[in-house]
Amino acid sequence: MTVDYFVMAAYLLGIIGVGWWGKRRAASKSDFLVAGRRLGPLMYTGTMAAVVLGGASTIGGVRLGYTYGISGAAMVFAIGLGLLALSVFFSARIARLKVYTVAEMLSLRYGDTAAVISGVVMWIYTLMLVVTSTIAYASVFDVLFDVPRWVAVVIGGSIVVGYSALGGMWSITLTDMVQFVVKSLGVLVLLLPIAVVKAGGFGAMADELPHGYFSLTSIGGQTILTFVLIYTFGMLIGQDIWQRVFTARSDRVASWGGTVAGVYCLVYALAGAVIGMATKTLYPNLAAADDAFATIVRHALPTGVRGLVLAAALSAMMSTASGALIASATVANNDIWARLRKRTATGSKDDEIGSNRLAIVVLGIAAMGIACALGDVIEALTVAYNLLVGGLLVPILGGLVWRRGNLPGAMASMIAGGTTVVVLMVTDGLLANEPIYYGLLAGLVAYVAVSLLTKPTEESVVQAWHRRLAGEPASTAPELSVA
């Protein structure tokens, strides 16, 4: 493993160097949080694909392929569908808003009160995304290098926090481009064909695998529906995704670049499931399905290639972790802390880059602590998306497509949907399908009923909102700031 260690160490050092280089570009709040809104098609596509395909998509996707066969691609496929829907139907309008967070969008649409609850829900969601990616790369270290979980968490977490805090979104964007290339090469070009050949090809896999492994629905129709509700809709409203949309230099870049990234996700979904199936053929009795990815890498790949593929896995995990970390810090600093500070402000202006950098460090340390306590990457990811979709999907999409929706309706939807999801996760289990079903239904009913029973949003607010969506210049639609 000496050569593999060297390859991985060189990769990690390179990532730190790229992150340090990105620090020079972070000269303003806009540079630090949204890369100055200047990304072109190539960089936007690569970074968007990198942030949505992380540890859960890589480790979890292979795990589901190992357990259910080709239908295990459903989870990552749902992520790709969500990114395609966002890019085709909403990203252009979102990019024109020129805000930093989802809560700011809700504040523009409904009023400032809506941003408070949504900010807390979004903060919890993004923090849990950091935790899931941290758990994922810790599981790789566990199997391959036999180090304690906390050691793996601290090493990987320190690197992610370090380059994220250095240059914010510019550092993350530059490192994500490196990670996107390494991930594509390692998983799609190397691991996928090698694993299939080692397993004897698709013919041998069909003979060796349990019945149903080549069925598109063996994972269960209800599970597929749940994946769509959680992950497809989650892609439409997540702060980590929207913050990448805000980096596009134009609405056209956001639309077309995101569409290409969505297609890439669909390919990645199939690759993960097939790798899991090959692993099941070769090693049918693993003690834990989460070990499938690390096992196939360790035993099936030659020296050097193994190190590159491991670097690819770390690329997937770290790109999502860093994207979610800056999203969590942005929400915490700009939607929660800034509003609290405003109520006791003395009139002095804080260093906005410094406060966001501090938030990244504090939340990164918190995420490492939570990751040491939790162990199931898909369970943690499901909790995050249940809270996000159940509490915020209806008021966010409703605000974009239904003129009659108002602040009381949005608040009622957040409370009803979020409460229903939390209660049912406690009573029925974290991985149960019912929380998201009934949470969405409760949120939708509350939104429509309360909006119709209360006064419409003031016409001046609605007109200002539509001017903002149309992308009118700053003189008529000034950029919102809550700091």
Side-chain angles (χ1 to χ4, degrees):
M1 294 287 292
T2 303
V3 175
D4 298 315
Y5 288 140
F6 177 79
V7 171
M8 294 179 65
Y11 164 76
L12 294 175
L13 288 174
I15 286 295
I16 295 173
V18 172
W20 180 266
W21 182 45
K23 180 178 183 294
R24 298 183 302 173
R25 297 191 174 208
S28 67
K29 177 182 178 180
S30 178
D31 289 331
F32 193 86
L33 296 182
V34 291
R37 309 186 196 274
R38 297 201 300 270
L39 296 193
L42 180 60
M43 293 192 73
Y44 180 85
T45 299
T47 57
M48 181 61 87
V51 74
V52 301
L53 295 174
S57 299
T58 304
I59 305 298
V62 173
R63 164 190 165 176
L64 291 173
Y66 183 90
T67 306
Y68 299 103
I70 196 67
S71 68
M75 183 185 78
V76 183
F77 207 85
I79 291 174
L81 290 178
L83 186 53
L84 285 171
L86 174 71
S87 302
V88 172
F89 298 111
F90 298 107
S91 62
R93 281 185 285 176
I94 292 171
R96 289 195 292 265
L97 288 173
K98 302 296 184 185
V99 295
Y100 293 108
T101 67
V102 175
E104 287 182 43
M105 168 264 171
L106 290 171
S107 180
L108 284 171
R109 175 62 178 82
Y110 298 114
D112 196 56
T113 306
V116 178
I117 295 179
S118 65
V120 172
V121 174
M122 193 65 73
W123 173 67
I124 295 172
Y125 155 73
T126 50
L127 185 62
M128 287 301 292
L129 278 190
V130 184
V131 172
T132 61
S133 296
T134 304
I135 293 172
Y137 57 67
S139 71
V140 173
F141 278 96
D142 284 348
V143 173
L144 295 172
F145 310 117
D146 195 27
V147 296
R149 170 65 62 88
W150 72 268
V151 173
V153 167
V154 169
I155 293 173
S158 297
I159 293 171
V160 170
V161 172
Y163 74 72
S164 299
L166 279 173
M169 186 60 81
W170 268 120
S171 289
I172 292 171
T173 295
L174 295 173
T175 54
D176 275 359
M177 280 304 298
V178 175
Q179 291 163 342
F180 173 71
V181 172
V182 173
K183 177 169 59 181
S184 300
L185 180 63
V187 175
L188 300 181
V189 177
L190 294 175
L191 180 56
L192 174 61
I194 290 174
V196 172
V197 170
K198 287 281 187 180
F202 287 103
M205 290 166 60
D207 293 335
E208 296 291 333
L209 290 171
H211 176 71
Y213 262 58
F214 280 87
S215 169
L216 295 176
T217 59
S218 62
I219 197 171
Q222 191 176 42
T223 299
I224 294 173
L225 175 60
T226 300
F227 285 157
V228 170
L229 292 178
I230 294 177
Y231 300 118
T232 301
F233 288 148
M235 287 293 105
L236 299 179
I237 60 174
Q239 169 67 27
D240 52 321
I241 311 303
W242 277 41
Q243 198 156 345
R244 294 310 174 99
V245 175
F246 300 150
T247 66
R249 71 183 180 202
S250 68
D251 52 10
R252 184 176 177 84
V253 168
S255 180
W256 285 102
T259 300
V260 175
V263 173
Y264 179 91
C265 291
L266 303 183
V267 174
Y268 200 88
L270 293 173
V274 172
I275 292 169
M277 294 165 66
T279 307
K280 181 70 173 181
T281 303
L282 294 168
Y283 311 100
N285 299 311
L286 292 179
D290 266 337
D291 296 338
F293 179 86
T295 299
I296 190 68
V297 170
R298 182 176 186 179
H299 296 291
L301 300 182
T303 300
V305 174
R306 181 169 50 208
L308 182 60
V309 172
L310 289 174
L314 292 176
S315 295
M317 300 165 199
M318 289 183 174
S319 59
T320 296
S322 59
L325 181 57
I326 193 172
S328 184
T330 302
V331 172
N333 190 58
N334 294 274
D335 292 331
I336 300 175
W337 172 239
R339 295 175 191 280
L340 295 174
R341 187 178 62 211
K342 201 170 185 180
R343 292 170 186 169
T344 58
T346 60
S348 62
K349 181 175 177 62
D350 292 333
D351 176 6
E352 292 178 330
I353 294 180
S355 61
N356 281 290
R357 184 173 282 137
L358 177 61
I360 288 175
V361 173
V362 172
L363 291 175
I365 294 172
M368 285 188 271
I370 297 171
C372 290
L374 298 179
D376 190 314
V377 64
I378 293 182
E379 186 173 276
L381 189 68
T382 301
V383 171
Y385 273 97
N386 273 343
L387 291 172
L388 173 71
V389 176
L392 296 182
L393 177 69
V394 172
I396 291 174
L397 294 190
L400 288 170
V401 302
W402 192 37
R403 187 184 182 93
R404 184 62 177 81
N406 61 11
L407 175 60
M411 297 292 291
S413 178
M414 292 180 202
I415 295 171
T419 302
T420 301
V421 164
V422 171
V423 170
L424 290 180
M425 281 195 295
V426 172
T427 59
D428 295 356
L430 297 180
L431 295 179
N433 295 317
E434 287 75 15
I436 193 60
Y437 295 167
Y438 292 108
L440 278 175
L441 179 61
L444 179 60
V445 171
Y447 183 69
V448 174
V450 175
S451 292
L452 293 176
L453 292 172
T454 53
K455 293 181 179 180
T457 305
E458 291 183 12
E459 188 60 29
S460 60
V461 175
V462 175
Q463 290 178 359
W465 165 253
H466 284 291
R467 287 198 302 269
R468 193 68 170 250
L469 277 180
E472 292 196 4
S475 59
T476 58
E479 182 164 334
L480 179 69
S481 175
V482 296

